[in-house]
Amino acid sequence: MRRIAISARRPAPPAVGAAALAVLLAVAGCSGPGNRGGGRSDAGPGASVPGDGGGRAGAPGSARSALDSLAVKRPGTKDGYARDRFGSAWADTDGNGCGTRDDILKRDLRGTAFRDAKKCVVVSGTLPKDPYTGQSLRYQRGRSTVDIDHVVALSDAWQTGARQWPARKRVALANDPLNLIAVEASANRSKSDGDAADWLPSYAGYRCTYVARQVAVKRKYGLWVTRAEKAAMAKVLDSCPRQALPGGGTPTEAPARFTAK
Protein backbone atom coordinates (compact mmCIF):
# COMPACT_ATOMS: atom_id res chain seq x y z
CA MET A 1 0.00 0.00 0.00
CA ARG A 2 1.44 3.42 -0.95
CA ARG A 3 1.41 5.72 2.07
CA ILE A 4 0.42 9.39 1.94
CA ALA A 5 2.90 11.45 3.94
CA ILE A 6 1.31 14.42 5.72
CA SER A 7 3.92 16.96 6.88
CA ALA A 8 3.78 18.11 10.47
CA ARG A 9 5.32 21.46 9.48
CA ARG A 10 2.57 22.46 7.09
CA PRO A 11 -0.87 21.95 8.64
CA ALA A 12 -3.63 21.20 6.19
CA PRO A 13 -5.83 24.10 5.21
CA PRO A 14 -9.16 24.19 7.03
CA ALA A 15 -10.98 22.94 3.91
CA VAL A 16 -9.06 19.64 4.03
CA GLY A 17 -10.90 17.84 6.75
CA ALA A 18 -11.61 14.19 7.55
CA ALA A 19 -13.76 13.67 4.45
CA ALA A 20 -11.05 14.97 2.12
CA LEU A 21 -8.44 12.80 3.82
CA ALA A 22 -10.66 9.76 3.32
CA VAL A 23 -10.80 10.50 -0.40
CA LEU A 24 -7.01 10.74 -0.57
CA LEU A 25 -6.63 7.41 1.21
CA ALA A 26 -9.12 5.75 -1.15
CA VAL A 27 -7.20 7.01 -4.19
CA ALA A 28 -4.02 5.63 -2.68
CA GLY A 29 -5.64 2.19 -2.50
CA CYS A 30 -6.03 1.97 1.27
CA SER A 31 -8.64 -0.44 2.59
CA GLY A 32 -11.30 0.55 5.03
CA PRO A 33 -12.05 -1.57 8.12
CA GLY A 34 -14.72 -3.55 6.33
CA ASN A 35 -12.49 -4.63 3.44
CA ARG A 36 -9.13 -5.81 4.65
CA GLY A 37 -6.86 -6.79 1.80
CA GLY A 38 -7.58 -9.30 -0.95
CA GLY A 39 -11.24 -8.26 -1.20
CA ARG A 40 -12.06 -10.17 1.96
CA SER A 41 -15.21 -9.10 3.76
CA ASP A 42 -15.21 -9.01 7.55
CA ALA A 43 -19.00 -9.03 7.69
CA GLY A 44 -20.72 -11.90 9.44
CA PRO A 45 -22.05 -15.11 7.86
CA GLY A 46 -24.53 -14.51 5.07
CA ALA A 47 -23.30 -10.98 4.42
CA SER A 48 -22.98 -9.93 0.79
CA VAL A 49 -19.48 -9.82 -0.69
CA PRO A 50 -18.32 -8.57 -4.09
CA GLY A 51 -18.65 -11.05 -6.96
CA ASP A 52 -15.63 -12.27 -8.89
CA GLY A 53 -16.45 -9.87 -11.73
CA GLY A 54 -14.68 -12.08 -14.26
CA GLY A 55 -15.57 -14.83 -16.68
CA ARG A 56 -17.36 -14.77 -19.98
CA ALA A 57 -20.91 -13.72 -20.59
CA GLY A 58 -23.08 -16.72 -21.35
CA ALA A 59 -25.69 -16.94 -24.07
CA PRO A 60 -29.13 -15.53 -23.15
CA GLY A 61 -31.05 -18.14 -21.15
CA SER A 62 -27.89 -20.13 -20.44
CA ALA A 63 -26.71 -21.41 -17.09
CA ARG A 64 -23.62 -19.19 -17.37
CA SER A 65 -25.81 -16.11 -17.74
CA ALA A 66 -28.04 -17.21 -14.83
CA LEU A 67 -25.00 -17.70 -12.60
CA ASP A 68 -24.35 -13.97 -12.67
CA SER A 69 -27.84 -13.34 -11.28
CA LEU A 70 -27.11 -15.22 -8.04
CA ALA A 71 -26.23 -13.30 -4.90
CA VAL A 72 -22.67 -13.79 -3.67
CA LYS A 73 -22.30 -13.95 0.12
CA ARG A 74 -20.21 -15.49 2.84
CA PRO A 75 -21.35 -18.98 3.90
CA GLY A 76 -23.76 -19.06 6.79
CA THR A 77 -23.53 -21.26 9.83
CA LYS A 78 -24.20 -24.99 9.81
CA ASP A 79 -25.48 -24.74 13.38
CA GLY A 80 -28.94 -26.22 13.76
CA TYR A 81 -28.79 -28.29 10.58
CA ALA A 82 -30.37 -31.75 10.62
CA ARG A 83 -31.97 -33.80 7.86
CA ASP A 84 -35.37 -33.59 9.52
CA ARG A 85 -35.30 -29.79 9.18
CA PHE A 86 -36.25 -30.61 5.57
CA GLY A 87 -39.10 -32.94 6.53
CA SER A 88 -39.49 -36.69 6.35
CA ALA A 89 -37.29 -38.32 3.73
CA TRP A 90 -38.86 -38.81 0.30
CA ALA A 91 -42.23 -37.27 1.08
CA ASP A 92 -44.86 -37.52 -1.66
CA THR A 93 -45.13 -33.77 -2.18
CA ASP A 94 -46.48 -34.08 -5.74
CA GLY A 95 -49.40 -36.24 -4.53
CA ASN A 96 -48.97 -39.04 -7.08
CA GLY A 97 -49.10 -41.74 -4.40
CA CYS A 98 -45.41 -42.69 -4.73
CA GLY A 99 -42.44 -41.63 -2.63
CA THR A 100 -40.02 -39.15 -4.17
CA ARG A 101 -37.12 -41.64 -4.17
CA ASP A 102 -39.05 -44.09 -6.31
CA ASP A 103 -40.21 -41.28 -8.59
CA ILE A 104 -36.56 -40.46 -9.35
CA LEU A 105 -35.62 -44.12 -9.83
CA LYS A 106 -38.49 -44.48 -12.33
CA ARG A 107 -37.31 -41.37 -14.17
CA ASP A 108 -33.58 -42.19 -14.31
CA LEU A 109 -33.43 -46.00 -14.57
CA ARG A 110 -34.16 -48.12 -17.60
CA GLY A 111 -35.69 -51.61 -17.70
CA THR A 112 -37.34 -51.08 -14.32
CA ALA A 113 -39.30 -53.75 -12.47
CA PHE A 114 -41.82 -52.95 -9.75
CA ARG A 115 -43.09 -54.60 -6.57
CA ASP A 116 -46.65 -53.31 -6.91
CA ALA A 117 -49.31 -53.02 -9.58
CA LYS A 118 -49.38 -49.25 -9.12
CA LYS A 119 -45.70 -49.21 -10.21
CA CYS A 120 -44.53 -47.16 -7.27
CA VAL A 121 -41.89 -49.36 -5.64
CA VAL A 122 -38.91 -49.94 -7.95
CA VAL A 123 -37.14 -53.22 -7.24
CA SER A 124 -34.61 -53.30 -10.09
CA GLY A 125 -33.36 -51.48 -13.14
CA THR A 126 -30.27 -50.13 -14.87
CA LEU A 127 -28.66 -46.72 -14.73
CA PRO A 128 -27.19 -46.62 -18.27
CA LYS A 129 -24.56 -43.99 -17.50
CA ASP A 130 -23.99 -42.79 -13.97
CA PRO A 131 -23.68 -38.99 -14.08
CA TYR A 132 -20.83 -38.93 -11.58
CA THR A 133 -18.60 -41.76 -12.87
CA GLY A 134 -19.84 -42.49 -16.40
CA GLN A 135 -20.33 -46.18 -15.53
CA SER A 136 -23.34 -48.37 -16.19
CA LEU A 137 -24.88 -49.53 -12.91
CA ARG A 138 -27.39 -52.19 -11.95
CA TYR A 139 -29.96 -51.21 -9.34
CA GLN A 140 -31.29 -53.92 -7.02
CA ARG A 141 -33.45 -52.81 -4.12
CA GLY A 142 -31.88 -53.57 -0.77
CA ARG A 143 -28.36 -54.14 -2.08
CA SER A 144 -27.86 -51.36 -4.55
CA THR A 145 -24.89 -49.20 -5.49
CA VAL A 146 -27.30 -46.45 -6.61
CA ASP A 147 -28.19 -43.47 -4.43
CA ILE A 148 -30.51 -40.52 -4.99
CA ASP A 149 -28.45 -37.36 -4.58
CA HIS A 150 -29.50 -33.82 -3.77
CA VAL A 151 -27.54 -31.90 -6.42
CA VAL A 152 -27.50 -28.91 -4.07
CA ALA A 153 -26.87 -30.68 -0.79
CA LEU A 154 -29.37 -29.91 1.95
CA SER A 155 -26.60 -28.86 4.33
CA ASP A 156 -25.24 -26.50 1.68
CA ALA A 157 -28.73 -25.10 1.18
CA TRP A 158 -29.04 -24.59 4.94
CA GLN A 159 -25.83 -22.54 4.93
CA THR A 160 -26.81 -20.44 1.92
CA GLY A 161 -30.30 -19.32 2.82
CA ALA A 162 -32.56 -22.24 3.79
CA ARG A 163 -31.92 -21.76 7.51
CA GLN A 164 -34.27 -18.76 7.37
CA TRP A 165 -36.99 -20.45 5.30
CA PRO A 166 -40.42 -21.61 6.42
CA ALA A 167 -40.58 -25.38 6.86
CA ARG A 168 -42.70 -26.06 3.78
CA LYS A 169 -40.13 -24.44 1.49
CA ARG A 170 -37.40 -26.70 2.91
CA VAL A 171 -39.62 -29.74 2.36
CA ALA A 172 -40.18 -28.62 -1.24
CA LEU A 173 -36.44 -28.34 -1.93
CA ALA A 174 -35.71 -31.77 -0.46
CA ASN A 175 -38.24 -33.42 -2.77
CA ASP A 176 -37.93 -31.32 -5.93
CA PRO A 177 -37.03 -33.51 -8.96
CA LEU A 178 -34.96 -30.60 -10.29
CA ASN A 179 -32.60 -31.14 -7.34
CA LEU A 180 -32.52 -34.96 -7.44
CA ILE A 181 -30.65 -37.49 -9.61
CA ALA A 182 -29.78 -41.18 -9.38
CA VAL A 183 -26.02 -41.64 -9.01
CA GLU A 184 -23.32 -44.10 -7.96
CA ALA A 185 -23.39 -44.44 -4.16
CA SER A 186 -19.70 -44.07 -3.31
CA ALA A 187 -19.33 -40.99 -5.52
CA ASN A 188 -22.35 -39.47 -3.83
CA ARG A 189 -20.84 -40.09 -0.41
CA SER A 190 -17.48 -38.64 -1.42
CA LYS A 191 -19.33 -35.47 -2.43
CA SER A 192 -21.02 -35.29 0.98
CA ASP A 193 -22.35 -31.72 1.37
CA GLY A 194 -19.69 -30.07 -0.79
CA ASP A 195 -20.48 -27.31 -3.25
CA ALA A 196 -18.85 -26.88 -6.67
CA ALA A 197 -15.71 -25.42 -5.09
CA ASP A 198 -15.26 -28.60 -3.05
CA TRP A 199 -16.37 -31.34 -5.43
CA LEU A 200 -17.17 -32.02 -9.08
CA PRO A 201 -18.05 -35.33 -10.78
CA SER A 202 -15.02 -37.36 -11.90
CA TYR A 203 -16.88 -37.91 -15.17
CA ALA A 204 -15.98 -34.66 -16.91
CA GLY A 205 -18.68 -35.12 -19.55
CA TYR A 206 -21.38 -34.38 -16.96
CA ARG A 207 -19.83 -31.36 -15.26
CA CYS A 208 -21.56 -28.69 -17.35
CA THR A 209 -24.96 -30.35 -16.81
CA TYR A 210 -24.24 -30.81 -13.09
CA VAL A 211 -23.25 -27.20 -12.46
CA ALA A 212 -26.12 -25.92 -14.62
CA ARG A 213 -28.54 -27.88 -12.44
CA GLN A 214 -27.00 -26.44 -9.28
CA VAL A 215 -27.38 -22.93 -10.69
CA ALA A 216 -31.01 -23.66 -11.62
CA VAL A 217 -31.84 -24.92 -8.12
CA LYS A 218 -30.14 -22.00 -6.39
CA ARG A 219 -31.88 -19.52 -8.67
CA LYS A 220 -35.30 -21.14 -8.30
CA TYR A 221 -35.12 -21.13 -4.49
CA GLY A 222 -33.20 -17.88 -3.99
CA LEU A 223 -30.11 -19.48 -2.46
CA TRP A 224 -26.83 -17.64 -2.64
CA VAL A 225 -23.34 -18.80 -3.68
CA THR A 226 -20.00 -18.14 -2.02
CA ARG A 227 -17.26 -16.39 -3.94
CA ALA A 228 -15.23 -19.62 -4.26
CA GLU A 229 -18.32 -21.53 -5.37
CA LYS A 230 -19.17 -18.97 -8.04
CA ALA A 231 -15.60 -19.02 -9.36
CA ALA A 232 -15.68 -22.83 -9.61
CA MET A 233 -19.07 -22.77 -11.36
CA ALA A 234 -17.91 -20.09 -13.78
CA LYS A 235 -14.79 -22.08 -14.66
CA VAL A 236 -16.94 -25.06 -15.66
CA LEU A 237 -19.63 -23.06 -17.48
CA ASP A 238 -17.12 -20.92 -19.37
CA SER A 239 -16.26 -24.11 -21.26
CA CYS A 240 -19.92 -24.52 -22.31
CA PRO A 241 -21.41 -20.98 -22.46
CA ARG A 242 -24.53 -22.22 -24.28
CA GLN A 243 -25.34 -24.88 -21.67
CA ALA A 244 -29.09 -24.54 -21.10
CA LEU A 245 -30.47 -23.73 -17.68
CA PRO A 246 -32.78 -26.62 -16.74
CA GLY A 247 -36.25 -25.86 -15.50
CA GLY A 248 -39.27 -27.64 -14.13
CA GLY A 249 -39.67 -29.51 -10.89
CA THR A 250 -42.30 -28.95 -8.25
CA PRO A 251 -43.49 -25.70 -6.61
CA THR A 252 -41.19 -24.05 -4.08
CA GLU A 253 -43.65 -24.64 -1.26
CA ALA A 254 -44.91 -28.08 -0.25
CA PRO A 255 -48.64 -28.60 0.39
CA ALA A 256 -49.94 -27.62 3.84
CA ARG A 257 -50.08 -31.24 5.04
CA PHE A 258 -46.26 -31.36 5.14
CA THR A 259 -44.10 -29.96 7.90
CA ALA A 260 -40.56 -30.09 9.25
CA LYS A 261 -38.88 -29.43 12.59
Side-chain angles (χ1 to χ4, degrees), residues 64-89:
R64 181 63 184 88
S65 178
L67 173 60
D68 287 332
S69 72
L70 300 181
V72 181
K73 300 184 183 182
R74 291 172 60 103
T77 179
K78 195 174 178 178
D79 292 351
Y81 169 73
R83 175 60 181 84
D84 59 11
R85 299 304 297 269
F86 291 79
S88 301

Side-chain angles (χ1 to χ4, degrees), residues 2 33 127 167 170 181 185 211 213 215 219:
R2 182 163 63 87
L127 186 62
R170 294 197 297 269
I181 52 174
V211 171
R213 190 174 282 260
V215 172
R219 187 182 189 193

Side-chain angles (χ1 to χ4, degrees), residues 38-126:
R40 176 187 165 192
S41 169
D42 290 321
S48 296
V49 299
D52 62 3
R56 306 171 187 170
S62 68
R64 181 63 184 88
S65 178
L67 173 60
D68 287 332
S69 72
L70 300 181
V72 181
K73 300 184 183 182
R74 291 172 60 103
T77 179
K78 195 174 178 178
D79 292 351
Y81 169 73
R83 175 60 181 84
D84 59 11
R85 299 304 297 269
F86 291 79
S88 301
W90 313 128
D92 178 22
T93 55
D94 63 1
N96 69 352
C98 304
T100 301
R101 184 175 187 274
D102 283 294
D103 283 341
I104 303 304
L105 289 171
K106 284 194 290 184
R107 184 195 69 187
D108 292 354
L109 300 183
R110 301 293 178 266
T112 48
F114 300 89
R115 176 184 296 169
D116 57 329
K118 191 177 179 181
K119 295 188 175 180
C120 266
V121 182
V122 179
V123 294
S124 64
T126 300

